[in-house]
Amino acid sequence: MAIITLTTDFGEKDHFAGAIKGAIYSELPDVRIVDISHSVSPFNIPEAAYIIFNGYNSFPKGTIHIIGIDSELNEENKHIAIKLDEHYFICANNGIMSMICAEIAPEKIVEINIHDKVETSFPVLDVFVKVACHIARGGTLEVIGKLITEIKPIKDIIPFVNDEKSQIIGSVIYIDNYGNVVTNIKRKFFDSIVKGRDYEVYARSYKFKTIHNKYCDIVNFSVSPEKRNDEGKGLVVFNSSDYLEIAVYKGNPETVGSASSLMGLNLRDTVTINFSKS
Amino acid sequence: MAIITLTTDFGEKDHFAGAIKGAIYSELPDVRIVDISHSVSPFNIPEAAYIIFNGYNSFPKGTIHIIGIDSELNEENKHIAIKLDEHYFICANNGIMSMICAEIAPEKIVEINIHDKVETSFPVLDVFVKVACHIARGGTLEVIGKLITEIKPIKDIIPFVNDEKSQIIGSVIYIDNYGNVVTNIKRKFFDSIVKGRDYEVYARSYKFKTIHNKYCDIVNFSVSPEKRNDEGKGLVVFNSSDYLEIAVYKGNPETVGSASSLMGLNLRDTVTINFSKS
Amino acid sequence: MAIITLTTDFGEKDHFAGAIKGAIYSELPDVRIVDISHSVSPFNIPEAAYIIFNGYNSFPKGTIHIIGIDSELNEENKHIAIKLDEHYFICANNGIMSMICAEIAPEKIVEINIHDKVETSFPVLDVFVKVACHIARGGTLEVIGKLITEIKPIKDIIPFVNDEKSQIIGSVIYIDNYGNVVTNIKRKFFDSIVKGRDYEVYARSYKFKTIHNKYCDIVNFSVSPEKRNDEGKGLVVFNSSDYLEIAVYKGNPETVGSASSLMGLNLRDTVTINFSKS
């Protein structure tokens, strides 16, 4: 059974996501539809890029991913379909796919050209669903688009490193449900620079000397639970997707506060790592 | 495989929607359940009416739609099931269906009368699920209710037009995830009045002389992207469901603002169209 | 077809819930996955306990429930799987299951011990999914864990009663989507104490002399709808899950206010019932 996932900024209230599902089931009664997220901030392309990049690869090979963010067709915002890592992605050519494509070379990219047959102000419903169902039925990309080789980039995907390799300057690309602050510094990239040296992570006025692998690494289990003072403490971890993350232990944006609210860290803010002389 | 959709004001957190699904799968292991929305504002009947009206018809014929808004049974709020456009709707007789029924004549309406068998304070779980599963198994409406011919209306579904047909007075019926402001003025209705005349759309102190078909119609693509100033601009469009909508280009209620927040437009506010003498 | 439900604090935006589903479908293409909630407040164990307790039992026997709240593995927070009421529950041993287990004796509890095979910072994805799929394939709990007999308790599940049985002191354990305030006083418990006596329910400065069975019990239907003044009135009911609940008729936290906002009632606040001398 084919799987089609949905990642959009439609929100939880409007009928849009439901209408998409109805249209897919009308064409393909036996497909499986899975929501990845409908709560991407409106028109927020880097956020959508982070979510789909870190969500897609636990799905089986052959899964078709519809990404409905800023998808109104115009002369600068064409629709594309990409085959990459044996998954299919359907979206606007607005930068969303550049985060994935920076790490994994696409097998094939087409610019969708079935629009002369569908006049529409709701392209996710009218175009993306058609393309997804075509692929789910075993159709090839060439039938619904013309091959292209370049896609539109987004900025700030890759952190900056100075020539001496003594400093990484990264930036905040995502803030998660716990208010934890995700940067564009990935574990592999960090590992390629650190080479056994000491380092300090700076975020605004905060400084950290260790990057942890688990949030509870900062808990002192030798002290009895009642006497501990760990909740609300800041720390740096590589998160489950291997991005460097500024976190607060058991943070909650609506009650005790989170890394974002307590440290005043927001999207596009700078996070720096300084390495000691080796 | 039968499809049952859910549109409720249960929200995303409580166990209610999950419990409904468990109850349906307990009766019918092979049915397909699709969420249209669980984030209708509590007890907001016009909002639910707009969502179900514009969501239902991308589903296949024969789909069964459960609408759980203000469904506590009492002498003034009976439960009904409606067959219309070859779809089935199960809800309270509180006005939700009057928006659809104003445009599409129902084939059959019954007042559900199986309540003597089910004592309940959770009627969506105990009554609507039973009725939905009955229909999904091929049962007829007459078995679970008695035929009626009238349903309860809601106000403000249809805009007002003066006798000279020089003015339409509409109102705001929905505010979507992007903060765009949807009125009760539909394209077909507007087309039946305009007859080639010029017009001006008024919303509070804002005035618009064009109704667009796409949001990006206001973008000046001859100017390079860095020099443009389009985001945040107000405009009027017929939206993807063909309602006249006051929008802001790439608005976001939580950051740059939206049509609703920037222009101060809320549910039930008036939007007027004045036509010039032809 | 096996059913796996998900109850987590992942929120609606992040990729976590989608990734879990992808991982499950990768192992078991034919399983059915149902969301109960992803909007549990971060790390809020009592809230998760209330949701899963009141959501699980409308699902068919044999359903497998994954509960992803505060599930990072450490020496104090082990992972468990429980068979109870012919349902399966997979979660951290952090108190979540103690509300259910206080009412229904578990058939079997194991502490999961497959972690030497899976190194992970995302245990719901890497451990809970593996265990769920094992159970869905018909595997036994003993294969993935070692039998234990005790689980970690949470406080405040059961209300206090004085020796004379003239007073119940309960507390607020949940606030629902309508802002209604759910206490830990269940109908059965109340019935075992009241024995036909009069009583008064106290919540802050509010006093109620009746516990209703339906919200609309307080509506005076002999008055015409336009002249009524019921919306926004406070009342006490046993809710659809049989918990004593302080409610506001047709409340809405975002507009007219709710029981929680209007009466200033929050999680862990005290609700008292005083019984008259019989």
Side-chain angles (χ1 to χ4, degrees):
Chain A
M1 196 189 312
I3 298 179
I4 298 175
T5 81
L6 305 178
T7 303
T8 78
D9 62 357
F10 294 158
E12 306 299 326
K13 177 172 164 182
D14 297 351
H15 63 280
F16 302 129
I20 297 293
K21 292 176 190 178
I24 294 172
Y25 289 132
S26 294
E27 280 212 39
L28 290 178
D30 281 330
V31 79
R32 190 184 289 294
I33 305 172
V34 183
D35 299 308
I36 293 184
S37 179
H38 296 294
S39 292
V40 177
S41 303
F43 303 101
N44 193 320
I45 289 165
E47 211 175 87
Y50 179 81
I51 289 170
I52 189 67
F53 188 14
N54 294 296
Y56 91 91
N57 66 357
S58 66
F59 285 86
K61 302 289 184 189
T63 297
I64 301 154
H65 305 276
I66 290 178
I67 313 167
I69 316 284
D70 187 22
S71 52
E72 198 179 44
L73 186 72
N74 63 51
E75 57 183 88
E76 291 175 1
N77 198 41
K78 303 295 189 183
H79 295 158
I80 54 175
I82 295 187
K83 188 176 181 192
L84 174 152
D85 196 15
E86 294 179 54
H87 288 249
Y88 295 89
F89 301 85
I90 304 162
C91 58
N93 188 3
N94 54 19
I96 285 173
M97 287 302 294
S98 68
M99 192 187 277
I100 306 187
C101 293
E103 298 204 17
I104 304 170
E107 294 170 49
K108 199 180 285 180
I109 312 171
V110 299
E111 191 177 289
I112 297 168
N113 58 14
I114 60 167
H115 299 89
D116 50 333
K117 293 171 202 147
V118 272
E119 178 89 36
T120 177
S121 64
F122 190 0
V124 181
L125 183 71
D126 297 320
V127 178
F128 292 6
V129 164
K130 280 218 158 27
V131 171
C133 292
H134 167 78
I135 299 170
R137 280 187 294 254
T140 61
L141 297 186
E142 287 86 347
V143 172
I144 50 81
K146 68 166 206 285
L147 286 168
I148 59 172
T149 53
E150 293 289 316
I151 58 165
K152 201 169 157 183
I154 43 173
K155 290 178 197 162
D156 302 329
I157 311 173
I158 294 172
F160 171 84
V161 193
N162 64 357
D163 288 343
E164 304 83 53
K165 300 208 167 177
S166 65
Q167 187 175 56
I168 296 175
I169 301 178
S171 63
V172 176
I173 54 169
Y174 192 74
I175 295 177
D176 78 7
N177 186 55
Y178 307 92
N180 291 332
V181 169
V182 180
T183 73
N184 59 354
I185 304 170
K186 296 195 79 169
R187 186 197 290 267
K188 216 190 222 176
F189 182 83
F190 173 83
D191 285 349
S192 72
I193 309 288
V194 61
K195 308 280 182 202
R197 292 178 290 173
D198 288 339
Y199 56 84
E200 290 181 333
V201 179
Y202 292 89
R204 291 183 69 107
S205 61
Y206 297 87
K207 190 170 78 175
F208 303 90
K209 297 196 166 195
T210 311
I211 305 175
H212 295 282
N213 287 307
K214 294 176 76 172
Y215 300 95
C216 62
D217 280 354
I218 63 155
V219 177
N220 182 354
F221 288 107
S222 65
V223 174
S224 74
E226 303 72 37
K227 292 189 180 151
R228 275 180 219 153
N229 200 10
D230 311 306
E231 300 195 6
K233 257 192 200 162
L235 74 152
V236 179
V237 291
F238 283 116
N239 71 16
S240 59
S241 299
D242 276 335
Y243 291 79
L244 186 142
E245 178 181 300
I246 321 283
V248 147
Y249 188 60
K250 297 202 177 178
N252 179 337
E254 296 197 355
T255 57
V256 292
S258 70
S260 174
S261 64
L262 294 172
M263 303 188 201
L265 288 166
N266 293 305
L267 287 176
R268 282 181 291 278
D269 283 355
T270 295
V271 172
T272 305
I273 308 179
N274 288 339
F275 297 93
S276 64
K277 291 183 179 161
S278 54
Chain B
M1 196 189 310
I3 298 178
I4 297 175
T5 80
L6 305 178
T7 303
T8 78
D9 63 357
F10 294 158
E12 305 300 327
K13 177 172 165 184
D14 297 350
H15 63 281
F16 301 128
I20 297 294
K21 292 176 190 178
I24 294 172
Y25 289 131
S26 294
E27 280 211 39
L28 289 178
D30 282 330
V31 81
R32 190 185 288 294
I33 305 173
V34 183
D35 299 308
I36 293 183
S37 179
H38 295 294
S39 292
V40 177
S41 304
F43 303 101
N44 194 320
I45 289 165
E47 211 174 86
Y50 178 80
I51 290 170
I52 190 67
F53 188 14
N54 294 296
Y56 91 91
N57 66 357
S58 67
F59 285 87
K61 301 289 183 188
T63 297
I64 301 153
H65 305 278
I66 290 178
I67 312 167
I69 315 283
D70 187 22
S71 52
E72 199 179 45
L73 186 72
N74 64 52
E75 58 184 87
E76 292 174 1
N77 199 41
K78 303 295 190 183
H79 296 159
I80 54 175
I82 295 186
K83 187 176 182 194
L84 174 152
D85 195 15
E86 294 179 53
H87 288 249
Y88 295 90
F89 301 85
I90 304 162
C91 58
N93 189 3
N94 54 19
I96 285 173
M97 286 302 294
S98 68
M99 192 188 277
I100 306 187
C101 293
E103 297 203 16
I104 304 169
E107 294 171 49
K108 200 180 283 179
I109 311 171
V110 299
E111 190 176 289
I112 296 167
N113 59 13
I114 60 168
H115 300 90
D116 50 332
K117 293 170 202 148
V118 273
E119 179 89 34
T120 177
S121 64
F122 190 1
V124 181
L125 184 71
D126 298 320
V127 178
F128 292 6
V129 165
K130 280 219 158 27
V131 171
C133 292
H134 167 79
I135 298 170
R137 281 186 294 254
T140 61
L141 297 187
E142 287 85 347
V143 172
I144 50 80
K146 68 166 206 284
L147 286 168
I148 60 173
T149 53
E150 293 288 316
I151 58 167
K152 202 169 156 184
I154 43 173
K155 290 178 196 163
D156 302 329
I157 312 174
I158 294 172
F160 171 84
V161 192
N162 64 356
D163 287 344
E164 304 83 52
K165 301 209 167 176
S166 64
Q167 187 176 56
I168 296 175
I169 302 177
S171 63
V172 176
I173 54 170
Y174 192 74
I175 295 177
D176 78 8
N177 186 55
Y178 307 92
N180 291 332
V181 169
V182 180
T183 73
N184 60 355
I185 303 170
K186 296 195 79 170
R187 186 196 292 265
K188 216 191 223 174
F189 182 82
F190 173 84
D191 285 349
S192 74
I193 308 289
V194 62
K195 307 281 182 200
R197 292 178 291 174
D198 289 339
Y199 56 85
E200 291 181 332
V201 179
Y202 293 89
R204 291 181 69 107
S205 61
Y206 298 86
K207 190 170 77 176
F208 303 89
K209 298 197 166 195
T210 311
I211 305 175
H212 296 281
N213 287 308
K214 294 176 76 172
Y215 300 95
C216 62
D217 280 353
I218 62 154
V219 177
N220 182 354
F221 288 107
S222 64
V223 175
S224 74
E226 304 71 38
K227 292 189 180 152
R228 274 180 220 152
N229 200 10
D230 311 306
E231 300 194 6
K233 257 192 199 160
L235 74 152
V236 179
V237 291
F238 283 115
N239 71 15
S240 60
S241 300
D242 277 336
Y243 290 79
L244 186 142
E245 177 182 300
I246 320 284
V248 148
Y249 188 61
K250 296 203 177 176
N252 179 337
E254 296 196 355
T255 56
V256 293
S258 71
S260 174
S261 65
L262 295 171
M263 303 189 201
L265 288 166
N266 292 305
L267 286 176
R268 281 181 292 278
D269 282 355
T270 295
V271 172
T272 305
I273 308 177
N274 287 340
F275 297 93
S276 63
K277 290 185 179 160
S278 54
Chain C
M1 196 189 311
I3 298 179
I4 298 176
T5 80
L6 305 178
T7 302
T8 78
D9 63 358
F10 295 158
E12 306 299 326
K13 177 173 165 182
D14 297 350
H15 63 280
F16 302 129
I20 296 294
K21 291 175 190 178
I24 294 172
Y25 289 131
S26 293
E27 280 211 38
L28 289 178
D30 281 330
V31 80
R32 189 184 288 295
I33 305 173
V34 184
D35 300 308
I36 293 183
S37 180
H38 296 294
S39 293
V40 177
S41 304
F43 303 101
N44 194 320
I45 289 165
E47 210 173 87
Y50 179 81
I51 290 170
I52 189 67
F53 188 14
N54 294 296
Y56 90 91
N57 66 357
S58 67
F59 285 86
K61 302 289 183 189
T63 297
I64 300 154
H65 305 277
I66 290 178
I67 312 167
I69 315 283
D70 187 22
S71 51
E72 199 179 43
L73 186 73
N74 64 51
E75 59 183 86
E76 291 174 1
N77 198 41
K78 303 295 190 183
H79 295 158
I80 54 175
I82 296 186
K83 188 176 182 193
L84 173 154
D85 195 16
E86 293 179 55
H87 288 250
Y88 295 90
F89 301 86
I90 304 163
C91 57
N93 189 3
N94 54 18
I96 284 173
M97 287 301 295
S98 68
M99 192 188 277
I100 305 187
C101 293
E103 297 203 17
I104 304 170
E107 294 170 49
K108 199 180 285 180
I109 311 172
V110 299
E111 192 176 288
I112 296 168
N113 59 12
I114 60 169
H115 300 90
D116 51 333
K117 293 170 202 148
V118 271
E119 178 90 35
T120 177
S121 63
F122 190 1
V124 181
L125 183 73
D126 297 321
V127 178
F128 293 6
V129 165
K130 279 218 160 25
V131 171
C133 292
H134 167 78
I135 298 170
R137 280 186 294 255
T140 61
L141 296 187
E142 288 84 349
V143 172
I144 49 83
K146 69 166 208 283
L147 286 168
I148 60 172
T149 53
E150 293 288 317
I151 58 167
K152 200 168 157 184
I154 44 174
K155 289 180 198 160
D156 302 329
I157 310 174
I158 294 173
F160 172 84
V161 192
N162 64 357
D163 287 345
E164 304 83 52
K165 301 210 167 175
S166 64
Q167 187 175 58
I168 296 174
I169 301 177
S171 63
V172 176
I173 54 169
Y174 193 74
I175 295 178
D176 78 7
N177 186 54
Y178 307 91
N180 290 333
V181 170
V182 180
T183 73
N184 59 355
I185 304 170
K186 296 195 78 169
R187 186 197 290 267
K188 215 190 223 176
F189 182 83
F190 173 83
D191 285 348
S192 74
I193 309 289
V194 62
K195 308 281 182 201
R197 292 178 290 173
D198 287 339
Y199 55 84
E200 290 181 332
V201 179
Y202 292 89
R204 290 182 68 107
S205 60
Y206 297 86
K207 190 170 77 175
F208 303 89
K209 299 198 166 193
T210 311
I211 305 175
H212 295 282
N213 287 308
K214 295 175 76 172
Y215 300 95
C216 62
D217 280 353
I218 63 156
V219 177
N220 183 354
F221 288 106
S222 64
V223 175
S224 74
E226 304 72 37
K227 293 189 181 150
R228 274 180 220 153
N229 201 8
D230 311 307
E231 300 194 6
K233 257 192 200 162
L235 74 152
V236 179
V237 291
F238 283 115
N239 70 16
S240 60
S241 299
D242 277 336
Y243 290 79
L244 188 141
E245 177 181 300
I246 320 282
V248 148
Y249 188 60
K250 297 202 177 176
N252 179 338
E254 297 196 355
T255 56
V256 292
S258 70
S260 174
S261 65
L262 294 171
M263 303 189 202
L265 288 165
N266 292 305
L267 287 176
R268 283 182 290 279
D269 282 356
T270 296
V271 172
T272 305
I273 307 177
N274 288 339
F275 297 93
S276 64
K277 289 181 180 162
S278 54

